[in-house]
Amino acid sequence: MREPTPQDSARALTGWAAEQGIDPGDLERIHRGLDPDDPVRSRAGHLQSPAILVPGLAATPWHDPDRYPWIDALESRYPLIRDEFEKQYASEGIDRHPEERELAATGGWNAYHFHTMGTTFPEHLAQCPATAEALAAVPGVADAGICYFSVLAPRTRVKPHCGFVNTRIRCHLGLTVPPGCRMRVGTESRAWREGRCSVFDDSFEHEVANDSDHPRAVLLVDTWHPDLTEVERRAMEFVMRMWTSDVD
């Protein structure tokens, strides 16, 4: 068994589009994004190097939260979301992050998932009703990428890395942020603020540090890149599902 490659995805996407009656021209950008030899990669530079790089999408490491109307749904419910997080954290219901071993250079990294590329965790949503209500306002929250409580243990550093697609925009709602925590996206580092959202494009190289003696927690939420068409979003939902399953 092996993970799908961009080439696997491109072949499967062609068959899916034919079944759906979609004009191949409507998916040209997605197919280019799946082509490892497309010229867009040489223009993007080393700081933006996801496995899937769709051309024609505005590319900037940090985004203005005011551009996204659903941000208010998260920030206005911050006290309730933080209470629900703390309840799960206290009950030790938060598992190790699946990429901890690969990406955490030091310390520990835990996650409590609500959505993962088309897979929903209904029991987690039921246990966190205020969080679930806020997440329902985010376009593509179930399909655009991943969504979870992310906890960095004290003295944890996550290595520099790029997300695997540029078709999503990522948001962090600061839940518990002690001094000494920061994230670099591209060339700029910023600190989180409790109760406020930071919005960025995780296809750019980024790294995270908790240099404090206390855990740092955020609610991580992915949404679709606003420059995608509706057909392209549907196509990426299909591709995302492929990347959550093994291929023979």
Side-chain angles (χ1 to χ4, degrees), residues 94-111 113 148 150-154 156-159 161:
I94 300 181
D95 297 326
R96 289 181 61 183
H97 193 288
E99 294 182 304
E100 180 193 65
R101 188 181 302 275
E102 176 184 358
L103 292 178
T106 61
W109 189 9
N110 293 77
H113 283 86
Y148 58 92
S150 175
V151 188
L152 292 185
T156 296
R157 294 221 168 185
V158 177
K159 302 174 186 176
H161 63 287

Side-chain angles (χ1 to χ4, degrees), residues 49-113:
S49 56
I52 301 174
L53 183 62
V54 175
L57 306 183
T60 182
W62 291 97
H63 284 235
D64 181 358
D66 290 340
R67 184 180 183 186
Y68 301 93
W70 46 266
I71 290 291
D72 184 62
L74 298 178
E75 293 185 346
S76 65
R77 292 173 175 82
Y78 158 68
L80 296 174
I81 294 172
R82 177 170 172 166
D83 286 349
E84 291 177 345
F85 158 71
E86 290 181 341
K87 180 179 179 180
Q88 298 305 318
Y89 188 70
S91 68
E92 300 183 349
I94 300 181
D95 297 326
R96 289 181 61 183
H97 193 288
E99 294 182 304
E100 180 193 65
R101 188 181 302 275
E102 176 184 358
L103 292 178
T106 61
W109 189 9
N110 293 77
Y112 184 85
H113 283 86

